[in-house]
Amino acid sequence: MEVIVEVEQLKKSFGKHTAVKGVSFNIAAGEVFGLLGPNGAGKTTIVRMLTTLLLPDSGRATVCGYDVRRQAARVRQCIGYVPQALSVDGALTGYENMMIFAKLLGLKGRERERRIADLLHFMQLEDAAGRLVRTYSGGMVRRLEIGQAVLHYPRVLFLDEPTVGLDPVARRGVWEILAKLRRASRMAILLTTHYMEEADTVCNRIGILNRGEMVVTGTPEELKALVGNPGASMDDVFTYFTGNFLDAGGDFRGIRQVRHISRRLG
Ligand SMILES: Nc1ncnc2c1ncn2[C@@H]1O[C@H](COP(=O)(O)OP(=O)(O)OP(=O)(O)O)[C@@H](O)[C@H]1O
Ligand SMILES: [Mg+2]
């Protein structure tokens, strides 16, 4: 098993508040690792440290063998990142958005055209490539963002709540893309999510965070077995390990984010 992300006793405080309290886990090539946990558990803070956007206070993390603290530039070359906030421009076409990222990555000439075309095809956006992104559905925007993030064929992809606010069909579309990416390239994928079905279907391993601590890691089946009652669901797993009950309906935050996206694009 080739370990690509190694995290050991990672810590981060903001003032007096310790957001991440000594977290450890590994991700292997070809694995989809799901980071779950209630709001404020520290998921985004961990993603930001692993993507070199935030300096850890202590502990150690390596991505593709490079230290996130001392070899940040190397780490950035081998990762893709789809942040929680919007990372496309609604006033440009899908193709133009891809072109900007490709140029930023230093891709040139025929190779640049080839990768953009390949990825637009892979993300099922060929037909929409010439349209302004503000006319895209939420699912199409997300697929475009993933396409941008993998233009340099990274070995690790980080996604922070990739399907928040998407309808069930669009959500499934994103899941299919992630599964295809993983199969096609043995990419390691770390995603954060509040959707238990997503964790169960997309992730082969899951880590549950609570108040900055990694409470448990394991496959969905292993975690369900730990709950004790036969037929336990991922919802049961989440409640068991965090003491939080899941809200059955859409949450305010999800709704606010959807609004936010439509406002930025409109
Ligand atoms: N830049 C910052 N300054 C101060 N506090 C912060 C900062 N970033 C995060 N925090 C705090 O750290 C804790 C962890 O936040 P984080 O965003 O990592 O949680 P999360 O698990 O991603 O939550 P959510 O599910 O709501 O996205 C929270 O208490 C948050 O308020
Ligand atoms: Mg977050």
Side-chain angles (χ1 to χ4, degrees), residues 178-193:
L178 295 180
K180 266 195 340 189
L181 269 180
R182 178 178 156 221
R183 276 198 307 272
S185 65
R186 298 219 354 112
M187 199 178 275
I189 299 176
L190 183 155
L191 63 88
T192 75
T193 184

Side-chain angles (χ1 to χ4, degrees), residues 139-156:
M140 292 164 79
V141 169
R142 233 18 179 172
R143 297 205 303 275
L144 179 63
E145 291 179 307
I146 297 172
Q148 285 181 161
V150 299
L151 268 166
H152 56 311
Y153 302 156
R155 293 178 68 205
V156 191

Side-chain angles (χ1 to χ4, degrees), residues 208-219:
I208 299 185
L209 272 183
N210 198 24
R211 299 169 193 274
E213 286 177 275
M214 191 69 95
V215 194
V216 70
T217 58
T219 64

Side-chain angles (χ1 to χ4, degrees), residues 216-229 232 237 240-241:
V216 70
T217 58
T219 64
E221 300 320 313
E222 284 165 353
L223 300 192
K224 285 177 203 165
L226 288 172
V227 171
N229 56 320
V237 168
Y240 182 83
F241 285 107

Side-chain angles (χ1 to χ4, degrees), residues 66-80:
Y66 301 117
D67 188 296
V68 295
R69 214 190 303 244
R70 296 191 318 268
Q71 297 168 294
R74 297 250 182 211
V75 170
R76 279 183 222 136
Q77 284 165 5
C78 82
I79 64 169

Side-chain angles (χ1 to χ4, degrees), residues 22 44-45 70 75 80 89 92 131 136 144 148 156 162-163 181 191 193 200 232-233 245 260 265:
T44 298
T45 305
R70 296 191 318 268
V75 170
D89 188 336
L92 301 177
R131 257 165 56 197
Y136 283 20
L144 179 63
Q148 285 181 161
V156 191
T163 63
L181 269 180
L191 63 88
T193 184
D200 210 354
S233 65
F245 289 90
H260 186 63
L265 290 181

